[in-house]
Amino acid sequence: MEKKCIGIDIGGTSVKLGIFETNGVLLEKWEVPTRKEENGKNILPDVAASIKAKLQEMGIALADVAGAGMGVPGPVLPDGFVEVCVNLGWRNMNPQKELSELLDGIPVKSGNDANVAALGEMWQGGGKGYRDIVMVTLGTGVGGGVIIDERIIAGRHGLGGEIGHIHVRDEETEHCNCGGVGCLEQVASATGIAREARRKMAASDEPSAMRQFGDKINAKNVLDCAKAGDKLANEVMKVVSHYLGLALSQISLTVDPEAFVIGGGVSRAGKFLTDMVQKDYDRFSTISSNKAVLKLAELGNDAGIYGAARQVL
Amino acid sequence: MEKKCIGIDIGGTSVKLGIFETNGVLLEKWEVPTRKEENGKNILPDVAASIKAKLQEMGIALADVAGAGMGVPGPVLPDGFVEVCVNLGWRNMNPQKELSELLDGIPVKSGNDANVAALGEMWQGGGKGYRDIVMVTLGTGVGGGVIIDERIIAGRHGLGGEIGHIHVRDEETEHCNCGGVGCLEQVASATGIAREARRKMAASDEPSAMRQFGDKINAKNVLDCAKAGDKLANEVMKVVSHYLGLALSQISLTVDPEAFVIGGGVSRAGKFLTDMVQKDYDRFSTISSNKAVLKLAELGNDAGIYGAARQVL
């Protein structure tokens, strides 16, 4: 029997799980709730029990599983150690070691969830066919993952791919969650785009379709207005694209990937967004015309289980 | 007999060569002139002949050489192909393949000279003991090299570690050699530091020890004046350090190395420079206090032959 592999994506509300063929075919996916009480001590036993039950249901023995990969919402050190995982209540533990013990010793490998999602997109998503990609996730925040030679660059302190906190904007005055000022996340996340729109509306009397949403405006509203040709909304997106293009050029001149894969809720704006960012990226990357292409992510919320599973191959 | 390895650093004026033990001990180093005429067609035959003569002199058979590594002053693609190497006149050739043939088929591996120097510093220089470093070479220009897990991140288009062309300064108006505006190289290279000093002198009437050098001022003059407490010179270095610290933070949030190794002529300013840059790097890296340390390069002009040799191990 061909070996299977398991992908586990641990989120603050639910744990997503998937059973894969080693060629990337997803056989089965399901979820279990994340029990965060008592410092999240039930999370891994719940995951292990659910995996064992599912395997039995599918008639797969643990001996036929090559391993299980796990994405964790926080920094993971090279040996799998997690100092702190705020969303789960975990502190100073090695979840990959613990889960391996709970799964009768099969190999378990863990990584930061954003990095793992990047690996998933490289394997079976928008980055399929490439070995070196950088994923940029534009969601509530801005996350990222750097994949070189099909491996995650996690970094020595778990900061690899933390591109949302690259300082890009000198004239910013508000603080980012990280304590910095002018981070990419402050302007290019869904939250940041909405904030930029509120600022632009407040700073001018210009009529704009954005005004119907008032202070409740969200990133999707801004992008819809921009696509429909609204001038002020396009000015907002011009600012966003400027800083995104700048950050991509900085990343290219460090690791020079084959492709950037843009994901997260904001990326639903599709080619409208990537065409815009491509222009700014080119403008800041004059040293060579031969450089990374921009692609859209394809796996959505499943990127995490794909990438988690890919870690053990 | 313990195998040896050979390091070759091809420069525009001379080729540096070294014979090493595989543990990093340099047994012998020498140079040959770089004959650039006729599109540099003699360079590799000259190198091969010189290596064969030296090995004979030392009583080492080619069969006892594990391989030869080469640093080339231009972008090198993953398979060793060089599209163009302006300084040598090379175009569309594969120097590692050619040199291997000239050396009776021993393995030859090539890399960009800045990347190779970074690998050398990791192996036996300022980055010794680390596996992940980023080297920053502050010379006439600003070069760099990214080493992760003891391997060069050359990039898919040869742009890996081209950190001198990271855009950092929005208010710059002059163009960089790369065609961009506001590149790190424009402010943090020796040339850039001297230019910043000329600008600061022209923009104020403030007395300064820098004025004795007039328009001929160089980076060493600026740094000497700054160390001696000259106010205007310290203002120049504050600008330089600001942008260097910014670029290091951007690099950290992409690949998160264990250490930055600062080299090149400007780095002779030593701890005065690294202490200054460390503060700015910290200021832009608020997300974590646990991050890369700044070290000084130690191998000087020999970094290239060390790193070249290390490539074949």
Side-chain angles (χ1 to χ4, degrees):
Chain A
M1 186 181 191
E2 190 76 42
K3 291 247 178 188
K4 314 295 177 208
C5 54
I6 299 173
I8 306 158
D9 183 13
I10 303 185
T13 313
S14 69
V15 180
K16 295 185 183 66
L17 298 115
I19 304 209
F20 293 84
E21 299 282 6
T22 53
N23 64 3
V25 172
L26 175 60
L27 298 174
E28 182 87 29
K29 67 170 176 170
W30 75 103
E31 293 189 17
V32 298
T34 306
R35 287 200 286 151
K36 289 186 288 187
E37 61 268 21
E38 293 180 84
N39 293 322
K41 72 168 195 176
N42 297 308
I43 299 175
L44 293 174
D46 285 357
V47 165
S50 178
I51 288 172
K52 284 184 168 176
K54 181 66 74 178
L55 288 175
Q56 192 162 27
E57 186 190 314
M58 294 172 74
I60 300 169
L62 258 179
D64 290 322
V65 174
M70 178 163 46
V72 167
V76 178
L77 296 184
D79 64 351
F81 191 80
V82 170
E83 269 178 65
V84 59
C85 203
V86 183
N87 286 341
L88 307 178
W90 288 354
R91 258 183 199 285
N92 297 318
M93 57 183 280
N94 194 316
Q96 74 184 36
K97 211 169 142 244
E98 290 187 23
L99 186 63
S100 174
E101 281 159 17
L102 291 164
L103 290 173
D104 306 356
I106 68 164
V108 177
K109 188 136 180 39
S110 57
N112 167 268
D113 55 359
N115 292 340
V116 162
L119 189 63
E121 287 288 345
M122 181 217 75
W123 191 28
Q124 296 295 331
K128 194 170 178 173
Y130 299 111
R131 296 169 58 91
D132 296 1
I133 69 153
V134 174
M135 179 156 185
V136 181
T137 305
L138 307 172
T140 313
V142 172
V146 178
I147 309 293
I148 301 293
D149 267 340
E150 304 192 346
R151 300 278 153 210
I152 292 170
I153 305 287
R156 286 294 152 169
H157 318 89
L159 301 178
E162 278 289 354
I163 62 172
H165 300 287
I166 288 181
H167 173 92
V168 288
R169 195 179 198 183
D170 282 338
E171 66 269 38
E172 180 60 62
T173 52
E174 288 178 34
H175 275 79
C176 177
N177 292 330
C178 77
V181 180
C183 293
L184 179 64
E185 173 162 308
Q186 288 184 282
V187 63
S189 63
T191 328
I193 293 171
R195 192 184 58 149
E196 195 64 26
R198 289 194 301 274
R199 284 177 173 178
K200 281 259 187 283
M201 288 192 283
S204 92
D205 290 329
E206 207 176 305
S208 163
M210 294 196 298
R211 295 199 188 275
Q212 65 184 297
F213 305 102
D215 276 356
K216 295 232 164 78
I217 193 162
N218 62 31
K220 184 177 183 307
N221 304 146
V222 179
L223 277 152
D224 287 345
C225 291
K227 282 184 182 179
D230 184 78
K231 189 167 158 255
L232 206 61
N234 274 290
E235 280 174 29
V236 173
M237 288 314 300
K238 227 172 131 172
V239 174
V240 172
S241 172
H242 170 97
Y243 290 112
L244 264 174
L246 173 58
L248 298 196
S249 78
Q250 295 166 339
I251 296 164
S252 264
L253 293 166
T254 304
V255 293
D256 186 21
E258 297 169 282
F260 287 100
V261 176
I262 316 292
V266 174
S267 74
R268 287 193 205 112
K271 203 168 165 328
F272 176 81
L273 179 76
T274 51
D275 281 354
M276 204 172 211
V277 176
Q278 178 86 53
K279 278 194 195 108
D280 286 303
Y281 168 52
D282 287 344
R283 189 162 53 87
F284 287 116
S285 316
T286 43
I287 190 172
S288 175
S289 54
N290 188 10
K291 54 182 182 284
V293 294
L294 267 67
K295 311 281 278 184
L296 287 161
E298 292 174 2
L299 300 177
N301 290 331
D302 289 345
I305 52 171
Y306 275 91
R310 179 65 178 73
Q311 283 184 108
V312 294
L313 296 182
Chain B
M1 186 182 192
E2 190 76 42
K3 290 247 178 188
K4 315 294 178 208
C5 54
I6 299 172
I8 307 156
D9 183 14
I10 303 184
T13 313
S14 70
V15 180
K16 294 185 183 65
L17 298 115
I19 303 206
F20 294 84
E21 299 282 6
T22 53
N23 64 4
V25 171
L26 176 59
L27 298 174
E28 182 87 30
K29 69 171 176 169
W30 74 104
E31 293 188 18
V32 298
T34 306
R35 287 200 286 151
K36 289 185 289 188
E37 60 268 20
E38 294 179 85
N39 294 321
K41 72 168 196 177
N42 297 307
I43 299 175
L44 293 175
D46 285 356
V47 165
S50 177
I51 287 172
K52 284 184 169 176
K54 180 67 73 178
L55 288 175
Q56 192 162 29
E57 186 190 313
M58 294 172 74
I60 300 169
L62 258 178
D64 290 322
V65 174
M70 180 164 44
V72 168
V76 178
L77 296 184
D79 64 351
F81 192 79
V82 169
E83 270 179 63
V84 60
C85 203
V86 182
N87 287 342
L88 307 178
W90 288 355
R91 259 183 198 283
N92 296 318
M93 58 183 280
N94 194 316
Q96 74 184 36
K97 210 168 141 243
E98 289 187 23
L99 186 62
S100 175
E101 282 160 16
L102 291 164
L103 290 173
D104 306 354
I106 68 164
V108 177
K109 187 136 182 40
S110 57
N112 168 267
D113 56 358
N115 292 340
V116 161
L119 188 63
E121 287 288 345
M122 181 217 75
W123 191 29
Q124 295 295 330
K128 193 168 178 173
Y130 299 111
R131 296 169 58 91
D132 296 1
I133 69 153
V134 174
M135 181 157 183
V136 181
T137 305
L138 308 172
T140 313
V142 172
V146 178
I147 309 293
I148 301 292
D149 267 341
E150 304 191 347
R151 300 278 152 210
I152 292 170
I153 304 288
R156 286 294 152 170
H157 318 89
L159 302 179
E162 278 289 353
I163 61 172
H165 300 287
I166 288 181
H167 173 92
V168 288
R169 195 179 197 182
D170 283 338
E171 66 268 38
E172 181 60 62
T173 51
E174 289 178 33
H175 276 79
C176 177
N177 292 330
C178 77
V181 180
C183 293
L184 179 64
E185 173 162 308
Q186 288 184 282
V187 62
S189 63
T191 328
I193 293 171
R195 191 183 59 149
E196 195 64 26
R198 290 194 300 273
R199 284 178 172 179
K200 281 259 187 283
M201 288 191 283
S204 92
D205 290 328
E206 207 175 305
S208 163
M210 294 196 298
R211 296 197 188 274
Q212 66 184 297
F213 305 103
D215 276 355
K216 295 232 166 77
I217 194 162
N218 63 31
K220 184 178 183 306
N221 304 146
V222 178
L223 277 152
D224 287 344
C225 290
K227 282 184 183 180
D230 184 78
K231 190 167 157 256
L232 206 61
N234 274 290
E235 280 174 28
V236 173
M237 288 313 301
K238 226 171 132 172
V239 173
V240 172
S241 172
H242 170 97
Y243 290 112
L244 264 173
L246 172 58
L248 298 196
S249 78
Q250 294 166 339
I251 296 164
S252 264
L253 293 166
T254 304
V255 292
D256 186 20
E258 297 168 282
F260 286 101
V261 177
I262 316 291
V266 174
S267 74
R268 286 192 208 112
K271 204 168 165 326
F272 176 80
L273 179 76
T274 51
D275 281 354
M276 204 172 211
V277 177
Q278 178 87 53
K279 279 196 195 106
D280 286 304
Y281 168 53
D282 287 344
R283 189 161 55 86
F284 286 117
S285 315
T286 43
I287 190 173
S288 175
S289 53
N290 188 11
K291 54 183 183 282
V293 295
L294 266 68
K295 311 280 278 183
L296 287 161
E298 291 174 3
L299 300 177
N301 290 332
D302 289 344
I305 52 172
Y306 275 92
R310 179 64 177 73
Q311 284 184 109
V312 293
L313 296 182

